[in-house]
Amino acid sequence: MTQILSETYLDYSDILIRPKMGMNLNSRRDVNLQRIFKFKHGQIRTGLGVFNANMATVGNFTVAQKLLGSGMFATIHKHYTVNEIGDFIQNARHENVPLDNLFITIGLKNIDSEIQKLKELESKHNWTNPRNICIEAPNFYIPKALDALARVRAEFPDAVIMAGNIASGDICLKLLDYADIIKCGIGSGSACLTRKQTGCGTPMVSLILECADIAHSVNGHICADGGIVDIGDICKAFCLNSDFVMAGGIFAGTDEAAGDIIEKHYETSEVIDGHRVIQTKYFKRYYGMSSEYANNKFAGGMSDYKTSEGRELLIPYTGALDKILQDIRGGIASCCTYIGATSVKHLSKCATIIQVHNQLNKVFEKYSV
């Protein structure tokens, strides 16, 4: 029988973090943004738990290198070849880019070939320790996903494995028998149409609370994936007890994101010498990995049993990624000072979350420059 869960499920836009007095923190510069992660299979990684999404536009080598160099975590998408990944690893080592927090993404379509790809990466390009693997699927509820996860754990027992995506806590314990990090979030990404096309999904705030509670009870970790509109949403995810946060759209307009800068011209209402003023704006293309565009590019077209669960977007061009990364670090540090958290790890211990009906004053937003 169909059930309706009547409690309120919340998203990032439904909450704010209430400021409070702290005793030991006087400046943003005093905040420790690095965290030591101790995983259930014995591995240790250190960094600020912010990931780029493992999508073709932002899960590329250039974005990954920037995040790794900034003390964060990074993924690369699953469509790179062994030699392409190997060349990136060798170049990064030559340039002294730390690789401890780099996650190699594989898919579920042919897990035998994906495991072979990782083994070739080991033998040909010395991808050994540390090993970090992201097993990516939009729907991790299918039996094939759990079977693939178990196989990867058996083949790479010392690896840190991130798996997902899920949108409920009931599956967490099963996946954490093999995975170290569960990727939580279905349908919340800006380039995702899953909720529109299938009606499936769970608001991120409630999902993080549910999954973190279960995962942390068995020394597991979660990554909140999707729904990041502003940097404040990253802060909220950490305050809600998410260990990691994955974002795509906030990186998609940067120089480092894949794709050319697209120039568009718009006729304005302003008239000079009898002619309407033309305004030029710049964009970059961003698309979901379940979109028709991505299926045409990577899978030879959309299969007749599928619907497009992603869309193409033109994201406003935002310039160098360095500025975004600085804003992320600065935003998190500032959040810590507002609630007296001396480190990013302590955000969830110090946070008080309040439910709101309006979080931003947008009265003059259309006049912003």
Side-chain angles (χ1 to χ4, degrees):
M1 179 179 175
T2 300
Q3 294 181 336
I4 295 180
L5 303 179
S6 57
E7 64 263 34
T8 300
Y9 281 71
L10 303 175
D11 226 325
Y12 291 128
S13 59
D14 299 315
I15 65 167
L16 285 170
I17 308 157
R18 189 172 70 181
K20 63 176 70 170
M21 184 71 178
M23 301 301 294
N24 301 309
L25 190 62
N26 291 305
S27 172
R28 295 172 180 85
R29 69 169 62 91
D30 298 328
V31 173
N32 180 9
L33 293 179
Q34 295 291 289
R35 176 179 168 184
I36 299 173
F37 296 92
K38 297 180 180 179
F39 297 106
K40 63 181 298 183
H41 292 91
Q43 318 92 326
I44 295 176
R45 303 289 185 267
T46 301
L48 176 59
V50 175
F51 276 99
N52 58 319
N54 48 295
M55 304 166 71
T57 44
V58 296
N60 62 5
F61 295 136
T62 312
V63 171
Q65 183 166 330
K66 285 285 187 178
L67 266 74
L68 294 171
S70 188
M72 300 181 189
F73 288 72
T75 60
I76 54 173
H77 65 73
K78 64 186 178 184
H79 299 289
Y80 282 124
T81 66
V82 169
N83 288 336
E84 287 172 334
I85 299 171
D87 288 345
F88 169 70
I89 289 174
Q90 297 303 326
N91 290 335
R93 286 172 178 159
H94 180 73
E95 296 172 16
N96 292 316
V97 176
L99 294 172
D100 286 10
N101 297 338
L102 175 67
F103 280 66
I104 310 295
T105 301
I106 61 173
L108 291 180
K109 189 171 184 180
N110 189 335
I111 195 61
D112 290 327
S113 65
E114 297 284 58
I115 289 174
Q116 183 59 33
K117 177 180 178 178
L118 294 177
K119 288 186 173 180
E120 286 184 23
L121 198 57
E122 285 185 321
S123 60
K124 291 183 177 180
H125 300 283
N126 194 30
W127 178 70
T128 52
N129 190 36
R131 296 184 186 89
N132 305 309
I133 302 167
C134 176
I135 307 176
E136 185 272 332
N139 175 8
F140 231 83
Y141 291 90
I142 57 177
K144 177 181 179 180
L146 184 61
D147 293 342
L149 173 57
R151 282 201 57 197
V152 174
R153 171 57 67 195
E155 295 284 351
F156 304 96
D158 63 342
V160 176
I161 299 177
M162 179 163 59
N165 286 38
I166 66 167
S168 61
D170 55 356
I171 196 175
C172 280
L173 291 179
K174 282 186 179 180
L175 298 182
L176 286 168
D177 282 340
Y178 308 103
D180 300 283
I181 309 168
I182 305 300
K183 204 142 67 81
C184 304
I186 289 178
S188 56
S190 59
C192 187
L193 292 177
T194 295
R195 294 180 182 179
K196 183 175 181 179
Q197 294 295 86
T198 73
C200 295
T202 302
M204 288 300 294
V205 166
S206 299
L207 178 63
I208 292 169
L209 289 173
E210 179 182 358
C211 293
D213 184 52
I214 296 171
H216 294 164
S217 71
V218 293
N219 199 29
H221 294 71
I222 69 164
C223 177
D225 178 17
I228 301 299
V229 176
D230 301 301
I231 290 168
D233 295 332
I234 298 176
C235 301
K236 292 174 184 179
F238 285 138
C239 286
L240 293 163
N241 221 5
S242 187
D243 305 287
F244 300 92
V245 181
M246 181 173 281
I250 62 173
F251 302 129
T254 64
D255 291 319
E256 288 79 4
D260 297 327
I261 298 172
I262 298 169
E263 182 177 307
K264 284 187 170 290
H265 305 282
Y266 300 88
E267 189 177 81
T268 70
S269 58
E270 184 180 0
V271 177
I272 297 178
D273 295 333
H275 300 282
R276 288 191 180 273
V277 174
I278 303 299
Q279 184 179 40
T280 301
K281 293 186 178 181
Y282 300 92
F283 302 88
K284 297 199 76 168
R285 187 184 305 277
Y286 181 49
Y287 54 89
M289 294 307 288
S290 294
S291 65
E292 185 173 356
Y293 183 92
N295 276 270
N296 290 336
K297 185 170 183 176
F298 296 110
M302 181 71 70
S303 300
D304 58 9
Y305 59 87
K306 289 183 178 180
T307 183
S308 174
E309 293 184 39
R311 58 185 166 192
E312 295 177 64
L313 301 168
L314 289 182
I315 300 291
Y317 170 65
T318 53
L321 178 55
D322 289 336
K323 177 61 167 61
I324 302 293
L325 299 181
Q326 178 185 339
D327 286 344
I328 291 173
R329 292 191 301 269
I332 295 171
S334 191
C335 177
C336 287
T337 64
Y338 276 116
I339 64 174
T342 57
S343 70
V344 66
K345 183 178 181 180
H346 292 149
L347 277 170
S348 61
K349 295 180 176 65
C350 298
T352 299
I353 304 297
I354 54 176
Q355 186 175 351
V356 299
H357 298 293
N358 180 37
Q359 65 164 340
L360 297 174
N361 184 343
K362 298 182 179 180
V363 64
F364 293 125
E365 195 164 88
K366 66 180 179 180
Y367 300 111
S368 62
V369 292

